[in-house]
């Protein structure tokens, strides 16, 4: 392995540009797919092609000739790689040995190609027939308390697979259907229904053409939704101001050179993205948003006295909202001293941002994990809608709330039944269609599933994609508990750490990627997904499948379901697998308002939108109006023990060369980190105060009075442009530091962006 080194000098290149073009080429070469891969990429995010497996950004009706980004190309190359793993690979590797491999090394062996079962005597995965695997898994599930099993879904699985999987779990008898959104935008799904009556964002791609102001909170767009830089660049060319709130100066939000524009590439001309960049403290968002609201409300008070034009949209507030007076009063009483202390921003900075927002006729607020993965994540999401409501910025062109979702179908899975909350399931419809009583008991979300694995209530875990054991908090505490499970099943494309932390009986079931051609009884199949803007699209695989014995995800789900459940004349699993359009008919029958004429409309260029009351100013809330919510506190983490001045707040975040726990390479080009991910980036003053020098190796320890020791060692410390008292490092390497109970209070999203740690030099 190359000598590990890191440099963290300031980044000078814009996002995109030649660096991006070079990176696309090099990953195709590494996966041995240069010529063919280039052809495949031409079909990415095209109306008749496949939906990118990377982020969930919207797919336009009129795509660019190359409708993919650097990171989408990496994700494609990772799936269509020529590196394919024969069963014999495992002859020479025990699970115990593989545990010492890095996340990157495990996945880099390539695509899994045969179903396997773990052999306890040899500690190796060994090939098994599909039918035998299904029957054994079915036998292990049958006769067990359904609530002792967990059916996890990572956000990549299609609407068709997700619908079948959720139906299977409910027919089996449980709502234990946690998914990756429990670690991600659940703060949105919990926060928005109370304020605006919908669980998802209201902004569509067209809104970007009509907006005249954008406020960005806690999203690293250049890395995590790079195609979104195109509408941002277009908006900037129209003179639209973009105000960014982020503790780090993320290059993608500073400037962008479009790698698909020859002129920009040749001239090196970059577009400035953010017109004001506010480096707030980690978790300072509620306070910053309170500052903006306070400024607007007080400017409006002053305007009333002076008889000048109002700053707030009083007609909208009167007709459409509830709770304004109490909210306005709370903001008037909140002091600038508190706002400045908690946000780390000055009153003048916030006033400038508020004035920009106040000048806009139509403004949108966009946000990512920097907002949701906090103890007060739900509250910050609701502060976003408070700010929008003050000026009627919901339900008109160019305005609205835009939570930028993670996985490519994470939003859609919730729409078709992947949820632990029975109140979100159309039980009557399921009863009518399939003649069974769906379970009424609330199931477990991600954190609750981890708690139940720890205390032995859960004994079987099925993972439809994902890397649950690595993506969740408290890694080291959880590790021994995984081994006590009776059964673990991984439906997967590649090997990852969750497959090594397995139960007493363990199965690995390799599936097709959706980039691959999926041939079933009625011919080649298509699948569908919902993007970040609530739009549904068809997706057709175009690449010849990896060699071996892979099955499609619907076929695997059906295989396990058939082996587990008694026959039900209402569900013909085999017919569904033979023709996915029948699954879409079933989805339409279950959710007729959303999926009307599904099989046809999924091929509309640009997809079709789900109906959203809030976008029409119809408020499906308890009050029948959009609700203002008074924040309980401005503090990022009111319950966390502080320990004098030496406690640092740590965010764990993604780098440029990863998709969640999938690490493509060890470089984070944009942030100037090379050859390693074991770094801790700190404010220079904090380093000086703690007696640390650049390059020192340190141990980070979590500050929590719960009797558990949580440490990650071997981190090289570097000075970085980040507010005092804050630090950052990589996810998933630092997941062992996050206590399981350290999650957003109402949504239980692990608070991965504010872990209180102390740092000491390694002896
Ligand atoms: N290439 C690629 N694309 C991806 C992914 C990937 O791993 N790789 N992952 C996908 C998934 S599942 C998701 S959820 C999304 C994640 O996309 P993001 O939401 O961008 O998630 P992170 O990479 O964790 O970055 C969080 C951003 O918030 C900032 N931040 C951290 N704490 C705070 C805070 O307290 N306040 C504010 N205002 N900002 C803060 C960080 O500096 C960083 O810029 O991306 C999706 N797309
Ligand atoms: N500390 C910290 N922890 C975090 C986060 C953070 O920011 N900080 N972010 C959280 C977020 S936002 C999320 S979404 C979760 C992510 O949690 P997960 O969704 O569970 O994890 P991923 O890393 O996306 O899963 C990658 C694995 O999915 C499998 N896979 C890939 N493609 C396919 C496919 O087509 N089909 C199937 N069946 N399997 C496939 C591969 O085996 C791959 O190893 O992590 C969360 N954890
Ligand atoms: Mo996510």
């Amino acid at each position: 392995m190359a000598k590990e080194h890191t440099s963290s000098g300031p980044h000078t290149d814009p996002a995109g540009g030649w660096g991006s073009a070079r990176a696309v080429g090099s990953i195709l070469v590494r996966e041995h797919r240069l010529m063919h891969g280039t052809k495949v990429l031409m079909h990415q995010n095209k109306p008749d092609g496949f939906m990118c497996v990377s982020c969930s950004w919207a797919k336009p009706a009129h795509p660019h000739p190359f409708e993919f980004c650097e990171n989408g190309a990496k994700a494609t190359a990772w799936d269509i790689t020529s590196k394919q793993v024969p069963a014999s690979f495992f002859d020479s590797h025990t699970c115990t040995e593989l545990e010492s491999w890095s996340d990157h090394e495990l996945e880099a062996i390539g695509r899994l190609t045969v179903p396997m079962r773990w052999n306890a005597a040899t500690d190796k995965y060994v090939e098994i027939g599909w039918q035998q695997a299904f029957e054994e898994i079915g036998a292990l599930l049958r006769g067990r308390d359904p609530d002792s099993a967990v059916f996890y879904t990572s956000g990549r699985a299609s609407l068709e697979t997700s619908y079948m999987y959720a139906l299977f779990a409910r027919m089996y008898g449980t709502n234990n259907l946690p998914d990756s959104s429990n670690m991600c935008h659940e703060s949105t799904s919990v926060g928005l229904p109370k304020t605006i009556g919908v669980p998802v964002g209201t902004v569509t791609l067209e809104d970007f053409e009509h907006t005249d102001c954008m406020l960005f909170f806690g999203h690293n767009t250049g890395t995590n939704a790079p195609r979104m830089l195109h509408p941002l660049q277009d908006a900037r060319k129209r003179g639209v101001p973009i105000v960014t709130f982020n503790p780090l100066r993320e290059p993608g939000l500073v400037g962008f050179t479009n790698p698909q524009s020859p002129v920009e590439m040749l001239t090196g001309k970059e577009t400035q993205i953010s017109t004001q960049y506010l480096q707030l403290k980690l978790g300072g968002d509620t306070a910053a948003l309170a500052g903006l609201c306070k400024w607007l409300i007080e400017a409006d008070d002053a305007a009333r006295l002076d008889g000048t034009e109002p700053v707030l949209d009083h007609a909208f507030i009167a007709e459409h909202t509830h709770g304004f007076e109490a909210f306005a009063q709370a903001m008037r009483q909140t002091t600038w001293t508190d706002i400045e202390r908690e946000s780390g921003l000055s009153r003048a900075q916030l006033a400038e941002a508020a004035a920009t927002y106040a000048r806009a006729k139509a403004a949108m607020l966009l946000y990512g994990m920097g907002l949701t993965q906090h103890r007060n994540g739900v509250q910050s999401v609701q502060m976003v809608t408070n700010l929008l409501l003050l000026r009627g910025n919901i339900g008109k062109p160019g305005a609205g709330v835009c939570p930028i979702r993670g996985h490519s179908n994470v939003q859609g899975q919730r729409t078709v039944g992947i949820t632990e909350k029975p109140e979100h399931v159309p039980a009557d419809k399921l009863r009518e269609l399939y003649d069974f009583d769906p379970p009424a008991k609330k199931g477990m979300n991600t954190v609750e599933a981890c708690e139940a694995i720890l205390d032995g209530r859960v004994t079987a875990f099925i993972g439809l994609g994902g890397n649950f054991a690595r993506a969740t908090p408290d890694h080291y505490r959880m590790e021994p508990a995984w081994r006590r499970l009776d059964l673990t099943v991984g439906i997967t494309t590649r090997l990852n750490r969750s497959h090594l932390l397995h139960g007493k009986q363990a199965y690995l079931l390799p599936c097709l990627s959706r980039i691959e051609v999926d041939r079933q009884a009625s011919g080649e199949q298509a699948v569908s997904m919902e993007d970040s803007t609530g739009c549904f699209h068809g997706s057709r695989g175009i690449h010849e499948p990896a060699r071996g014995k892979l099955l499609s995800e619907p076929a695997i789900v059906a295989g396990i379901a058939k082996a587990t459940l008694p026959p039900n004349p209402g569900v013909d699993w085999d017919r569904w697998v033979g023709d996915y359009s029948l699954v879409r008919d079933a989805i339409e029958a279950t959710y007729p308002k959303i999926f009307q004429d599904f099989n046809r409309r999924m091929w509309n260029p640009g997809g079709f939108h789900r109906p959203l009351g809030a976008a029409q100013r119809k408020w499906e809330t308890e009050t029948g109006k959009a609700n203002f919510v008074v924040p309980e506190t401005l503090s990022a983490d009111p319950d966390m023990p502080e320990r004098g001045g030496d406690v640092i707040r740590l965010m764990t975040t993604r780098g440029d060369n990863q998709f969640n726990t999938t690490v493509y390479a060890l470089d984070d080009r944009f942030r100037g980190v090379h050859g390693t991910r074991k770094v801790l980036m700190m404010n220079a003053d904090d380093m000086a105060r703690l007696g640390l020098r650049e390059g020192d190796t340190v141990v980070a320890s979590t500050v929590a009075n719960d009797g558990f020791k949580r440490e990650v060692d071997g981190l090289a410390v570097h000075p970085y442009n980040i507010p005092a008292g804050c630090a950052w490092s990589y996810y998933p390497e630092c997941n062992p530091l996050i206590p399981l109970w350290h999650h957003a209070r109402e949504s239980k999203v692990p608070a991965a962006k504010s872990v209180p740690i102390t740092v000491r030099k390694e002896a």
Side-chain angles (χ1 to χ4, degrees):
M1 194 187 278
K3 185 175 168 294
E4 288 202 338
H5 73 283
T6 157
S7 73
S8 58
H11 175 95
T12 48
D13 299 336
W18 286 111
S20 174
R22 265 195 304 274
V24 170
S26 71
I27 184 116
L28 289 173
V29 169
R30 210 175 60 204
E31 298 306 312
H32 308 154
R33 285 291 188 216
L34 186 58
M35 289 314 291
H36 183 73
T38 314
K39 268 191 232 152
V40 172
L41 286 171
M42 298 305 291
H43 293 269
Q44 191 149 318
N45 297 320
K46 293 292 171 56
D48 62 340
F50 64 94
M51 283 280 281
C52 178
V53 296
S54 191
C55 81
S56 60
W57 186 239
K59 185 167 97 161
H62 307 291
H64 298 85
F66 311 98
E67 191 59 41
F68 62 88
C69 68
E70 169 184 341
N71 285 340
K74 284 179 203 158
T76 298
W78 206 241
D79 274 9
I80 66 170
T81 179
S82 64
K83 296 177 189 161
Q84 300 174 3
V85 187
S88 58
F89 169 85
F90 291 90
D91 293 349
S92 45
H93 299 286
T94 62
C95 283
T96 309
E97 182 224 320
L98 289 168
E99 268 181 64
S100 67
W101 292 30
S102 71
D103 297 301
H104 169 73
E105 287 164 333
L106 290 175
E107 284 213 30
I109 62 174
R111 290 282 301 277
L112 297 177
T113 54
V114 294
M116 278 174 287
R117 179 181 59 189
W118 179 67
N119 180 321
T122 60
D123 185 27
K124 287 173 183 168
Y125 275 108
V126 181
E127 184 170 356
I128 179 178
W130 276 109
Q131 202 44 43
Q132 191 181 347
F134 292 149
E135 276 163 22
E136 290 184 11
I137 294 167
L140 287 160
L141 286 175
R142 261 183 281 123
R144 127 192 333 271
D145 169 8
D147 286 330
S148 71
V150 161
F151 296 85
Y152 172 68
T153 316
S154 164
R156 197 172 280 191
S158 66
L159 292 167
E160 293 78 359
T161 308
S162 305
Y163 179 83
M164 291 169 68
Y165 189 64
L167 180 64
F168 161 47
R170 295 207 164 86
M171 294 182 101
Y172 175 62
T174 184
N175 282 311
N176 285 346
L177 284 156
D179 78 339
S180 58
S181 97
N182 292 149
M183 300 177 246
C184 185
H185 266 294
E186 189 64 16
S187 301
T188 298
S189 314
V190 169
L192 294 186
K194 289 189 190 138
T195 58
I196 58 168
V198 289
V200 299
T202 63
V203 162
T204 65
L205 210 44
E206 298 80 66
D207 285 319
F208 282 81
E209 293 162 24
H210 303 290
T211 191
D212 39 38
C213 175
M214 293 186 211
L215 305 188
F216 248 89
F217 287 84
H219 188 260
N220 183 9
T221 313
T223 290
N224 295 330
R227 286 185 303 114
M228 196 175 170
L229 293 176
H230 296 285
L232 294 189
Q233 190 188 31
D234 293 345
R236 282 296 304 126
K237 286 184 175 159
R238 289 193 290 114
V240 174
I242 298 180
V243 183
T244 296
F245 295 80
N246 196 313
L248 307 183
R249 280 183 70 80
E250 301 286 23
L253 291 167
V254 175
F256 174 56
T257 298
N258 186 345
Q260 303 184 353
S261 157
V263 175
E264 288 179 24
M265 290 294 273
L266 290 173
T267 58
K269 188 167 162 280
E270 77 169 273
T271 309
Q272 177 202 17
I273 296 290
S274 298
T275 47
Q276 191 188 1
Y277 207 112
L278 298 171
Q279 284 181 268
L280 81 178
K281 280 200 322 204
L282 286 179
D285 303 271
T286 294
L289 283 154
L292 301 180
C293 292
K294 180 180 175 68
W295 187 92
L296 289 163
I297 291 164
E298 291 182 348
D300 188 73
D301 291 343
R304 187 171 324 161
L305 288 178
D306 299 349
T308 51
E309 205 180 320
V311 178
L312 307 183
D313 185 341
H314 291 285
F316 174 87
I317 291 172
E319 185 184 346
H320 289 288
T321 71
H322 172 87
F324 169 72
E325 270 315 323
F327 177 72
Q329 206 44 33
M331 291 299 104
R332 288 185 194 108
Q333 282 164 2
T334 304
T335 65
W336 282 109
T337 313
D338 287 349
I339 291 171
E340 291 190 330
R341 188 192 58 247
E342 295 299 329
S343 68
L345 300 174
S346 72
R347 177 177 178 170
Q349 286 174 309
L350 289 166
E352 185 186 337
T356 305
Y357 174 74
R359 278 192 294 274
K361 289 201 181 63
M364 50 170 85
L365 259 79
L366 310 96
Y367 64 89
M369 295 302 100
L371 212 67
T372 61
Q373 292 178 334
H374 279 288
R375 293 288 268 171
N376 278 333
V378 174
Q379 181 182 284
S380 288
V381 167
Q382 295 180 331
M383 283 303 290
V384 164
T385 51
N386 288 336
L387 179 61
L388 288 168
L389 294 176
L390 286 177
R391 287 185 45 83
N393 271 319
I394 295 199
K396 69 181 179 192
V401 55
C402 185
I404 306 161
R405 296 274 166 169
H407 271 291
S408 51
N409 193 36
V410 65
Q411 186 163 314
Q413 299 178 337
R414 307 291 271 182
T415 308
V416 297
I418 303 284
T419 172
E420 75 285 0
K421 294 174 183 158
E423 66 272 23
H424 294 169
V425 181
D428 288 348
K429 281 278 178 210
L430 294 183
R431 208 172 280 125
E432 176 192 319
L433 289 165
Y434 308 115
D435 193 24
F436 80 108
D437 275 323
K441 186 175 156 203
K442 187 191 163 297
M444 294 170 192
N445 59 27
T446 288
V447 163
E448 290 158 355
C450 289
E451 288 163 350
I453 290 168
L454 275 176
D455 68 21
R457 277 174 295 139
V458 159
T459 49
F461 183 92
I462 321 290
L464 174 56
N467 190 359
F468 190 87
R470 189 62 169 149
T472 45
D474 247 341
H475 189 75
Y476 297 138
R477 240 186 105 198
M478 292 289 302
E479 227 176 83
W482 285 105
R483 304 191 195 286
R484 291 195 292 267
L485 297 188
D486 294 338
L487 171 67
T488 50
V489 178
I491 303 169
T492 185
T493 48
R494 289 191 180 241
L495 183 69
N496 65 42
R497 198 158 303 281
S498 299
H499 309 135
L500 304 173
L501 294 175
H502 54 72
K504 292 173 206 151
Q505 308 266 1
Y507 298 82
L508 272 186
L509 307 179
C511 64
L512 295 176
S513 147
R514 71 163 170 267
I515 303 175
E516 292 168 322
V517 182
D518 181 354
R519 296 187 181 90
Q520 303 293 347
S522 68
E524 289 181 9
Q525 304 299 311
V527 288
S528 53
M529 26 258 50
E530 175 179 351
D531 70 28
S532 232
T533 62
C535 210
F536 301 99
H537 308 263
S539 172
R540 227 188 278 284
I542 55 147
H543 181 66
E544 242 347 92
R547 286 179 309 276
K549 300 174 184 164
L550 299 102
L551 288 185
S552 74
E553 288 179 328
I556 296 173
V557 171
I560 301 176
K562 272 173 49 184
T564 308
L565 303 175
N568 178 324
V571 192
D572 188 337
W573 297 100
D574 290 334
R575 276 190 70 222
W576 278 2
V577 174
D579 182 355
Y580 300 172
S581 72
L582 301 176
V583 185
R584 288 187 288 273
D585 288 342
I587 294 176
E588 182 174 340
T590 314
Y591 307 92
K593 281 197 200 134
I594 303 178
F595 289 101
Q596 197 192 13
D597 204 7
F598 188 9
N599 272 303
R600 187 184 60 79
R601 289 203 296 161
M602 68 193 257
W603 298 115
N604 285 356
F608 70 95
H609 276 287
R610 62 194 269 166
L612 278 180
Q616 268 77 51
R617 298 193 167 175
K618 293 194 188 108
W619 314 104
E620 286 152 23
T621 60
E622 269 178 27
T623 59
K625 304 252 174 160
N627 294 309
F628 282 98
V629 177
V630 178
E632 263 177 48
T633 163
L634 298 190
S635 152
D637 192 351
D639 325 320
M640 210 59 196
E642 294 284 339
R643 216 177 55 194
D646 61 348
V647 178
I648 303 283
R649 203 176 279 280
L650 171 76
M651 73 152 110
T652 57
T653 191
R654 295 157 177 75
D656 171 48
N657 255 310
Q658 74 184 91
F659 190 91
N660 297 339
T661 66
T662 297
V663 177
Y664 302 121
L666 297 180
D667 299 319
D668 190 355
R669 174 162 62 84
F670 291 142
R671 298 202 187 113
V673 181
H674 298 285
T676 179
R677 293 170 55 85
K678 295 275 285 188
V679 291
L680 181 70
M681 301 305 197
M682 291 178 67
N683 176 287
D685 292 343
D686 290 332
M687 283 178 61
R689 187 166 44 83
L690 298 173
L692 298 170
R693 293 221 204 108
E694 168 147 30
D696 280 351
T697 313
V698 296
V699 184
S701 324
T702 308
V703 181
N705 296 326
D706 63 359
F708 291 102
K709 185 172 157 192
R710 298 179 181 87
E711 287 191 344
V712 169
D713 58 14
L715 299 168
V717 69
H718 291 272
Y720 203 83
N721 180 355
I722 187 168
C726 303
W728 72 268
S729 185
Y730 288 111
Y731 142 66
E733 286 77 358
C734 283
N735 284 39
L737 293 174
I738 309 174
L740 191 52
W741 51 265
H742 183 60
H743 54 66
R745 287 187 292 180
E746 299 93 332
S747 66
K748 298 207 173 173
V749 170
K753 298 294 187 267
S754 62
V755 190
I757 56 163
T758 52
V759 179
R760 70 167 191 276
K761 215 155 130 176
E762 225 160 62

